[in-house]
Amino acid sequence: MNPRIVVFVTAAGLAAAAAGASAQQPTAAQPVWRAVQPESGEVHLANIRQLTFGGQNAEAYFSADGTKIVFQSTRGDHPCDQEYVMNVDGSDVHRVSNGLGRTTCGYFYDHDRRVLFSSTSLSGKDCPPPPDYAHGYVWALEDFDIFTTKVDGTDLRRLTRTPGYDAESVVSPDGKSIVFTSVRHGDLDIYTMRIDGTHVRQLTHELGYDGGPWWSHDGKKIVYRAAHPATAADSAKYRELFAQHLVQPLDMELWVMNADGSDRHQITHLGGANFAPYFTPDDRRIIFASNAKDPRGRNFDLYLVNLDGTGLEQVTTHPDFDSFPMFSPDGKQLIWASNRHGSQPHETNIFIADWVP
């Protein structure tokens, strides 16, 4: 499981309730979705539709034309996540990864003709084993490489060739660069490379976990999450876990830097785990997930914050997991993953809503 993606989903799962949801039954002429009501206080969300039903579904991101979604899902005969594409109404779901290993971090590019994602398939056809929780709650730094394929799953190409973790990749707005997280130089840092995997450049250098990067819409800035050890004891613990290909993600804050890695600065000081940041359409604010109200709890909500750390505003209020937000290309819709309205505990599904400014 990619740290950015599913481990929080699994850990955050609470008993879900389906009361108040009206089912939209699929037919040949109907979309495959279910209308659900927003929770009290969710004033930015209207016309909410549930797009997936059952299992673990997360990291759902729009195509550039806004008509399709790429997402990761554990379903069918695959015991761990694979990459899928569907229409924005939930129809025409089809797998684009090869069904081997575990995949994560899907993203459309090349005028929506190709999909980028990371996979452990070169390390074996089976799912990687779960991490050892003897050290507490940890994420496993699995042997991911970054791949690309056409949207029909053909023409699989490998982009990274270094040992260890290469994942959390997103294509720049101009389609020329990829930002990603890697352990290639002995720590979890953020890098950029050209769209063909060449000209790799390291952007962060601080000890600790720098990851989950995302471009601003104008391509000038990158927002990311970071967990930097504060004391010598913290540094020793981080290095001990890292040597075992593990990281403990309990305390992460949001940072912003220029696209060349300059002017790195922290923008949240909330405590707990703050992650999955995405710029609002005007690039003036960040929407992200946080458990800051209970830093050791499982209830993650979506929040908005200004780039200087002011103006914190809660977006979701459901007492379960809400994360991985992304605005549609026209800025009129928000997609995210949530434990709400599941048919059983720990179920995570994809939801889309009209955005109310």
Side-chain angles (χ1 to χ4, degrees):
M1 277 178 198
N2 172 12
R4 189 172 79 170
I5 303 182
V6 187
V7 180
F8 265 124
V9 176
T10 303
L14 301 174
S22 58
Q24 175 81 21
Q25 297 298 327
T27 68
Q30 290 180 319
V32 187
W33 51 263
R34 178 173 66 181
V36 300
Q37 295 299 313
E39 299 293 316
S40 175
E42 293 184 340
V43 297
H44 286 293
L45 306 177
N47 190 25
I48 302 176
R49 288 90 72 199
Q50 182 175 343
L51 301 183
T52 63
F53 302 86
Q56 295 295 328
N57 306 272
E59 293 240 22
Y61 302 128
F62 286 101
S63 59
D65 65 6
T67 65
K68 295 185 181 298
I69 296 161
V70 61
F71 67 107
Q72 67 179 49
S73 179
T74 299
R75 58 176 60 204
D77 296 330
H78 300 289
C80 57
D81 285 326
Q82 294 293 312
E83 293 300 314
Y84 294 83
V85 167
M86 64 179 170
N87 294 330
V88 291
D89 63 6
S91 64
D92 190 26
V93 178
H94 60 278
R95 180 166 53 86
V96 296
S97 55
N98 61 12
L100 304 178
R102 173 176 286 125
T103 68
T104 189
C105 306
Y107 197 82
F108 286 99
Y109 74 107
D110 189 27
H111 305 287
D112 298 334
R113 293 176 295 196
R114 300 192 67 89
V115 173
L116 192 75
F117 61 88
S118 292
S119 173
T120 64
S121 58
L122 294 180
S123 298
K125 65 179 182 179
D126 298 325
C127 297
D132 180 3
Y133 292 110
H135 297 280
Y137 181 57
V138 292
W139 285 340
L141 301 175
E142 294 159 353
D143 193 7
F144 280 102
D145 272 300
I146 300 174
F147 293 83
T148 172
T149 183
K150 292 182 179 179
V151 292
D152 62 0
T154 63
D155 192 29
L156 183 68
R157 305 176 188 174
R158 181 183 180 186
L159 294 183
T160 58
R161 298 180 179 275
T162 55
Y165 185 83
D166 289 286
E168 306 174 21
S169 54
V170 177
V171 178
S172 60
D174 63 9
K176 296 180 180 180
S177 300
I178 298 170
V179 66
F180 65 104
T181 303
S182 177
V183 298
R184 62 187 59 205
H185 291 133
D187 194 13
L188 277 160
D189 283 303
I190 295 172
Y191 297 77
T192 57
M193 63 182 175
R194 288 185 181 174
I195 201 68
D196 61 359
T198 63
H199 290 78
V200 177
R201 180 179 182 182
Q202 185 174 353
L203 300 187
T204 62
H205 303 269
E206 297 84 357
L207 179 68
Y209 182 10
D210 296 296
W214 210 288
W215 305 89
S216 60
H217 293 83
D218 62 11
K220 295 180 179 180
K221 295 184 180 298
I222 294 170
V223 63
Y224 61 103
R225 61 167 180 249
H228 300 149
T231 66
D234 292 339
S235 297
K237 182 177 180 180
Y238 174 81
R239 289 190 173 98
E240 177 187 1
L241 290 175
F242 187 85
Q244 301 173 60
H245 309 290
L246 299 171
V247 64
Q248 196 166 55
L250 301 178
D251 298 288
M252 298 187 294
E253 299 291 348
L254 301 188
W255 289 57
V256 169
M257 61 183 166
N258 293 332
D260 62 0
S262 62
D263 190 27
R264 294 188 298 276
H265 60 279
Q266 186 174 339
I267 62 171
T268 64
H269 299 80
L270 300 176
N274 303 276
F275 77 118
Y278 185 84
F279 283 92
T280 56
D282 60 7
D283 286 337
R284 295 181 178 178
R285 292 185 293 176
I286 303 294
I287 189 168
F288 65 101
S290 176
N291 68 345
K293 287 188 174 181
D294 181 7
R296 292 300 179 264
R298 298 179 173 183
N299 179 22
F300 285 80
D301 278 303
L302 301 182
Y303 292 83
L304 289 165
V305 68
N306 295 328
L307 294 188
D308 62 0
T310 64
L312 185 70
E313 179 184 0
Q314 188 169 344
V315 174
T316 62
T317 60
H318 193 274
D320 258 326
F321 179 85
D322 290 281
S323 187
F324 307 117
M326 182 188 189
F327 286 98
S328 59
D330 62 7
K332 295 180 178 180
Q333 294 181 311
L334 183 78
I335 196 167
W336 79 103
S338 178
N339 287 160
R340 65 182 69 196
H341 301 299
S343 60
Q344 57 184 330
H346 310 297
E347 183 178 298
T348 308
N349 285 297
I350 306 302
F351 293 81
I352 189 171
D354 296 341
W355 181 254
V356 181

